Amino acid sequence: MSAATTRSRTPDRLCAEAVDLARAAAEEAAAPGVLGEHEGLVSEGDRVVTHFFGCRELGYRGWRWAVTVARASRAKIVTVDEVVLLPGPDAVLAPEWVPWSERLRPGDLGPGDLLPTEADDLRLEPGYTGAEEPPPNSPLTEDLADRAEDEDAAVTGGSPAEQTVTPSRGSIAAVAEELGMRRARVLSRYGLHAAADRWEEAFGPKTPMAQAAPASCMSCGFLAPIGGSLGQAFGVCANEFSPADGRVVSLAYGCGGHSEAAVMPKPPQPAPPVIDETRVDPFPLRPSPDSGSVPASEDASSADLGHS
């Protein structure tokens, strides 16, 4: 250990005794009545000492006023170097700052918010490029293309229909733009796998809803297919009564709203009337004489009863 290091760890006597000077400087910087007692000192180097005073200000519990004093070599006058409020060992501090890109969570993006993506985002990769380059099977090589640009253009006679120049609408860039393929960046393989893992975790076969479902979405009539490579394992639910309505669901997901889970029974229909057209039932126009409760022939007993 060197002699300079040994001297730096031993507080200078004059600087250590300048407690009143340090207190006066701290009171000038702090609000009235918030400066506490002297809580010690520490040697910062040769003839440099920092005095600590407690802070009674609300909201700064455990913080300390640090006043650094120093003196020149062979000088007996101590001067104030700086006054600052520093956190102590028991100070309440804010959590460590985290960049916004790491704090952002799904659902935080609101109307009007812009979410920039980094140039080296692993979820994206370059899309269609080379709009000004000739197609791979073009007879115009790069060498000939450079020569064509250097030479003056010649005026060719005749109508536009007779020209052999390919119109701009038929160029590769124009066709790619019409097909929706002219994008600066597209999803990379990492981005596809990340999206698939995220969707399968939310609406996949391991969710409680899928475990209790009578069948999977693969056989459901409400499943709307999607294109691309993700269409081999995912689709969009179109059942308004399903908890996954309008969401990308795994083909192995399922819920109680499956189209073939429970078919509504048809209401019972009454049996059609049975009419026997081969048999004739006679219906007399007048009742028969012996159909009543009194016999048609009068006798002595019925005459006495007064029946007609």
Side-chain angles (χ1 to χ4, degrees):
M1 184 178 296
S2 63
T5 305
T6 306
R7 288 197 302 270
S8 65
R9 290 189 176 183
T10 302
D12 182 75
R13 183 180 61 85
L14 295 179
C15 293
E17 294 176 354
V19 178
D20 295 338
L21 177 64
R23 178 181 292 276
E27 289 178 349
E28 184 179 356
V34 299
L35 192 66
E37 299 296 332
H38 187 262
E39 296 183 355
L41 56 88
V42 64
S43 176
E44 304 288 354
D46 292 341
R47 298 176 299 278
V48 180
V49 174
T50 299
H51 294 269
F52 295 103
F53 298 90
C55 180
R56 300 175 181 174
E57 190 171 0
L58 298 178
Y60 287 89
R61 185 182 63 186
W63 288 62
R64 301 181 300 180
W65 284 100
V67 182
T68 302
V69 295
R71 70 179 181 89
S73 178
R74 297 183 180 181
K76 296 184 179 181
I77 300 176
V78 179
T79 58
V80 177
D81 191 2
E82 64 177 355
V83 180
V84 65
L85 183 63
L86 297 178
D90 301 330
V92 178
L93 301 177
E96 185 179 357
W97 183 81
V98 180
W100 67 267
S101 58
E102 300 179 12
R103 298 196 309 265
L104 195 64
R105 293 294 179 267
D108 292 346
L109 195 65
D113 296 339
L114 298 179
L115 180 60
T117 55
E118 299 180 1
D120 54 351
D121 196 326
L122 296 178
R123 300 172 300 173
L124 301 173
E125 63 183 8
Y128 171 77
T129 56
E132 304 299 332
E133 298 178 3
N137 57 350
S138 174
L140 187 62
T141 62
E142 295 182 1
D143 185 22
L144 294 179
D146 295 339
R147 293 183 181 180
E149 293 179 358
D150 296 339
E151 296 180 356
D152 296 335
V155 179
T156 306
S159 61
E162 300 174 355
Q163 303 298 326
T164 58
V165 180
T166 305
S168 60
R169 181 178 176 82
S171 62
I172 296 179
V175 174
E177 186 173 0
E178 291 185 3
L179 297 177
M181 299 170 56
R182 193 176 183 182
R183 293 180 290 172
R185 289 187 292 178
V186 296
L187 273 176
S188 63
R189 184 172 297 274
Y190 172 79
L192 289 173
H193 283 282
D197 294 341
R198 189 170 59 252
W199 295 344
E200 190 169 19
E201 182 178 358
F203 297 97
K206 297 183 180 180
T207 58
M209 181 67 71
Q211 295 291 336
S216 63
C217 294
M218 183 181 298
S219 58
C220 182
F222 294 107
L223 182 72
I226 60 176
S229 59
L230 290 176
Q232 301 177 5
F234 296 94
V236 178
C237 179
N239 187 355
E240 60 178 327
F241 300 107
S242 172
D245 180 35
R247 304 292 187 88
V248 179
V249 298
S250 171
L251 297 182
Y253 180 75
C255 68
H258 195 280
S259 61
E260 311 302 328
V263 180
M264 293 294 294
K266 296 182 179 180
Q269 299 291 337
V274 179
I275 301 176
D276 188 2
E277 298 179 352
T278 61
R279 177 181 176 184
V280 178
D281 296 331
F283 292 95
L285 298 178
R286 294 184 178 84
S288 59
D290 56 350
S291 61
S293 59
V294 179
S297 59
E298 294 186 0
D299 53 4
S301 61
S302 61
D304 295 339
L305 294 175
H307 291 284
S308 58

